[in-house]
Amino acid sequence: MEHEQSRRLGKRCVILIVIGVLIVIGAVVLGLTLKSGFKSTFLSRCEKFNQHDCKKLWDLFEKAYVNKDPCKVPVEAYNPLIAAAPFKPQCNKMMFWSKTKDVVHGLTAKRKDCFVTLEDTLLGSVLDDLTWCGKEGSKDTFTAGCPEWSECVNNPVRSFWNRSSAAFADVACGDVTAMLSGSIDTPFNSTSNFASIEVPRFKASRVKKLNVVMVIQKNAISNCNHPSLKNLRQSLDTGITYSCKDVSESRIQECGAKPEIACGACW
């Protein structure tokens, strides 16, 4: 009887060990698959631009956050990546936005002859809507279990977009356009990237005018007369002129659908 119980116990231990090994192997394979899928997305998006050594950009990108605490990746960590793929000035075409991403990109996807956003550039396009982070003691890239945007200031995703927003704004020139939302209480919010990072980098030596397009959707609660826009005007570098126009979302969509409409006549 004791021999039989020992045999069964030994068999159960073997089974548990095998299960444990399989779980570990599965976790490793899943991790490698996630990294492979993320890297594949990065490279395939990059290669569409046919401008840079995408493998080199991937290596520089990884160095910013791999083997680091995911809440301790400062904006400066992406400096080498930005330097390797710098943003180019596109005077009179640069479009900034706050809380209007879908409307803006619905337009620029069809009218790149008129406007270019950060997400239309190489680095912005490559990493748009992606999540990534590293872990201390690991050389892998993770796409799950990463800090949320507001969870910690220096998380990999937030630091990248803060750094790239600054670099994009640094090359703004000519007439600059910004799409703000008339569907929120404070169209120009001091905590947004547009207000806290981009606007302070508009310099009168390069930027002549800021044209604000207030997107008016159904049940809009704000317009160009909103008090927060006074703060925007006061935040502009001396010498930069300002204008604001309330524009319906349907008009913006019409401009995107009809290439015969001149860029300057969209609103």
Side-chain angles (χ1 to χ4, degrees):
M1 180 66 73
E2 290 181 1
H3 177 73
E4 180 64 20
Q5 289 178 337
S6 297
R7 188 181 69 80
R8 290 179 179 176
L9 182 59
K11 187 175 182 180
R12 288 175 183 172
C13 288
V14 170
I15 292 174
L16 290 173
I17 291 172
V18 170
I19 291 174
V21 170
L22 290 175
I23 290 174
V24 171
I25 293 174
V28 171
V29 171
L30 177 60
L32 291 175
T33 300
L34 289 174
K35 177 180 179 180
S36 176
F38 183 90
K39 182 178 181 180
S40 176
T41 298
F42 182 104
L43 294 176
S44 63
R45 289 182 177 184
C46 176
E47 287 163 0
K48 291 179 181 178
F49 284 79
N50 195 30
Q51 296 176 352
H52 296 274
D53 182 340
C54 293
K55 178 60 169 61
K56 178 183 177 182
L57 292 182
W58 168 259
D59 291 340
L60 290 171
F61 171 67
E62 270 200 317
K63 287 179 181 177
Y65 63 86
V66 162
N67 194 25
K68 295 180 180 179
D69 183 325
C71 279
K72 294 182 179 179
V73 179
V75 293
E76 294 81 13
Y78 291 100
N79 283 352
L81 177 65
I82 300 294
F87 296 103
K88 299 178 181 179
Q90 299 193 60
C91 298
N92 306 314
K93 293 179 62 176
M94 298 180 75
M95 170 78 79
F96 296 81
W97 57 270
S98 184
K99 303 297 183 182
T100 54
K101 182 176 182 179
D102 290 343
V103 177
V104 169
H105 291 158
L107 173 63
T108 60
K110 299 174 181 177
R111 298 299 304 269
K112 286 185 171 59
D113 58 317
C114 293
F115 304 105
V116 176
T117 68
L118 169 57
E119 293 78 17
D120 295 315
T121 66
L122 188 153
L123 292 180
S125 175
V126 164
L127 293 166
D128 190 27
D129 288 331
L130 297 184
T131 297
W132 67 91
C133 66
K135 306 285 184 184
E136 283 186 300
S138 173
K139 295 182 180 179
D140 291 329
T141 292
F142 298 89
T143 57
C146 298
E148 296 291 334
W149 181 274
S150 59
E151 188 173 336
C152 51
V153 174
N154 287 327
N155 72 65
V157 176
R158 184 170 179 170
S159 288
F160 168 77
W161 288 111
N162 285 352
R163 181 66 186 88
S164 57
S165 292
F168 188 64
D170 281 338
V171 298
C173 53
D175 287 359
V176 171
T177 305
M179 268 196 194
L180 304 183
S181 175
S183 299
I184 58 177
D185 291 331
T186 309
F188 182 68
N189 191 317
S190 61
T191 64
S192 68
N193 273 21
F194 177 62
S196 63
I197 296 175
E198 294 168 339
V199 170
R201 285 172 168 75
F202 295 162
K203 301 303 177 184
S205 58
R206 300 189 308 272
V207 176
K208 295 180 179 179
K209 183 178 183 180
L210 173 64
N211 298 307
V212 173
V213 175
M214 186 66 69
V215 181
I216 304 299
Q217 300 169 309
K218 291 181 179 179
N219 302 317
I221 57 177
S222 301
N223 57 34
C224 284
N225 294 320
H226 193 276
S228 69
L229 296 180
K230 181 179 180 181
N231 297 331
L232 171 54
R233 293 194 298 273
Q234 292 174 343
S235 299
L236 291 175
D237 191 25
T238 302
I240 298 177
T241 58
Y242 166 91
S243 74
C244 183
K245 187 172 184 179
D246 295 323
V247 183
S248 68
E249 182 178 6
S250 60
R251 174 56 183 172
I252 296 171
Q253 292 172 338
E254 181 183 16
C255 181
K258 297 181 178 180
E260 63 271 19
I261 298 177
C263 297
C266 281
W267 39 74

